[in-house]
Amino acid sequence: QFENGIGMMRYFLTDFNRKKRFLKSKKLKKRIAIITGVSAYSILKDKVIGYLKKEMGFKIDVYRVENNFWGPKVTVSGLLTGGDILSCLKQINNKYDLVILPPNCLNGDDLFLDDISLSELESKAGVPIKIGSYSMVDTIRESIN
């Protein structure tokens, strides 16, 4: 159930709710964009990013990436391509200091399904890109400075 997205999201939210207290004393200086697929977007926006903005005062936003490569019925972040992510990043036009991607959209060689490399995407986007973990709190803590 973890890999189909349902278990993954449940774990993600449970982990966030258990660990979010560790962010109370943190100050986020960077403006961060979180990239995700259509399926996870509303949950992330409402349950996680909303909290981080309202309660923590973080400059953080979430963007959903439409899957043009595989088609609109494919909505999971694990099947996002570098090209589709790049299209999204061009639309938000460099107003962030850091972009965080889901951990499941790259293979072990740091390639997306369309064979674009992470370094190539970062170069074309013109913004530092970090691969997040399945823990938003850990990802934010690693990105604070």
Side-chain angles (χ1 to χ4, degrees):
Q1 292 290 325
F2 186 80
E3 289 300 324
N4 73 1
I6 296 168
M8 192 181 302
M9 184 53 72
R10 173 59 10 220
Y11 172 83
F12 184 84
L13 290 173
T14 300
D15 180 78
F16 179 75
N17 288 322
R18 286 183 180 154
K19 293 181 177 178
K20 66 185 176 186
R21 70 182 185 278
F22 296 119
L23 294 175
K24 290 281 186 204
S25 64
K26 304 293 183 189
K27 298 293 179 208
L28 183 63
K29 297 174 185 170
K30 294 178 182 173
R31 296 165 300 154
I32 295 179
I34 305 290
I35 302 298
T36 192
V38 172
S39 292
Y41 173 76
S42 61
I43 294 171
L44 275 175
K45 183 179 178 207
D46 297 340
K47 305 281 185 193
V48 177
I49 303 305
Y51 173 85
L52 293 172
K53 289 175 87 159
K54 183 178 176 188
E55 301 297 325
M56 304 299 301
F58 287 178
K59 297 171 189 151
I60 188 166
D61 295 303
V62 62
Y63 292 91
R64 70 173 177 244
V65 175
E66 303 286 335
N67 198 321
N68 296 311
F69 188 88
W70 299 108
K73 291 185 178 183
V74 177
T75 61
V76 296
S77 62
L79 295 176
L80 292 176
T81 62
D84 286 339
I85 293 170
L86 182 59
S87 293
C88 176
L89 295 178
K90 285 182 178 180
Q91 290 177 18
I92 61 177
N93 201 19
N94 294 331
K95 65 180 195 176
Y96 295 94
D97 302 310
L98 178 67
V99 171
I100 298 176
L101 300 181
N104 60 347
C105 63
L106 289 167
N107 69 15
D109 296 323
D110 281 344
L111 292 174
F112 295 92
L113 290 170
D114 55 359
D115 288 331
I116 292 176
S117 70
L118 178 59
S119 60
E120 182 181 352
L121 176 66
E122 190 173 49
S123 175
K124 288 181 178 181
V127 63
I129 297 175
K130 175 182 178 56
I131 303 305
S133 71
Y134 290 108
S135 171
M136 181 59 79
V137 172
D138 292 346
T139 299
I140 295 295
R141 289 170 73 184
E142 293 168 8
S143 305
I144 288 290
N145 299 321

